[in-house]
Amino acid sequence: MSKVFEVLKRLDEAKVHYFIGRYRPDTIDITATFVGERVEISVFEDGHVEVSRFVGTEDVLDESFLDKILVGEL
């Protein structure tokens, strides 16, 4: 079984919601969502895996916050 399918099987068994994307020619990227965090999993062509974790507060903010992000104020 390929490494991509191994990772997907583990996520499926844990009932984790995820998206699959391809942003670089040498990776398949999986973005998994959990309460309060996002995990980005990159499976490389050579079979190695890199995981990045992003933790947040789940605060609900108004549209002005989006404006600040888009103009680089944060």
Side-chain angles (χ1 to χ4, degrees):
M1 178 182 304
S2 75
K3 189 56 118 174
V4 171
F5 281 94
E6 286 178 25
V7 171
L8 295 178
K9 183 179 178 188
R10 291 175 67 186
L11 293 169
D12 289 339
E13 288 172 350
K15 296 181 177 17
V16 172
H17 182 76
Y18 59 86
F19 294 95
I20 301 171
R22 186 161 167 119
Y23 309 106
R24 296 172 37 170
D26 62 338
T27 66
I28 293 176
D29 300 291
I30 304 156
T31 303
T33 54
F34 300 87
V35 175
E37 66 184 86
R38 181 180 85 247
V39 176
E40 294 178 359
I41 306 160
S42 295
V43 182
F44 286 77
E45 188 173 33
D46 67 4
H48 84 275
V49 176
E50 293 179 1
V51 179
S52 298
R53 181 178 178 220
F54 303 89
V55 180
T57 63
E58 298 278 323
D59 290 343
V60 177
L61 305 168
D62 64 25
E63 190 175 352
S64 66
F65 185 75
L66 176 61
D67 294 334
K68 290 177 185 177
I69 291 171
L70 295 175
V71 298
E73 290 181 9
L74 294 179

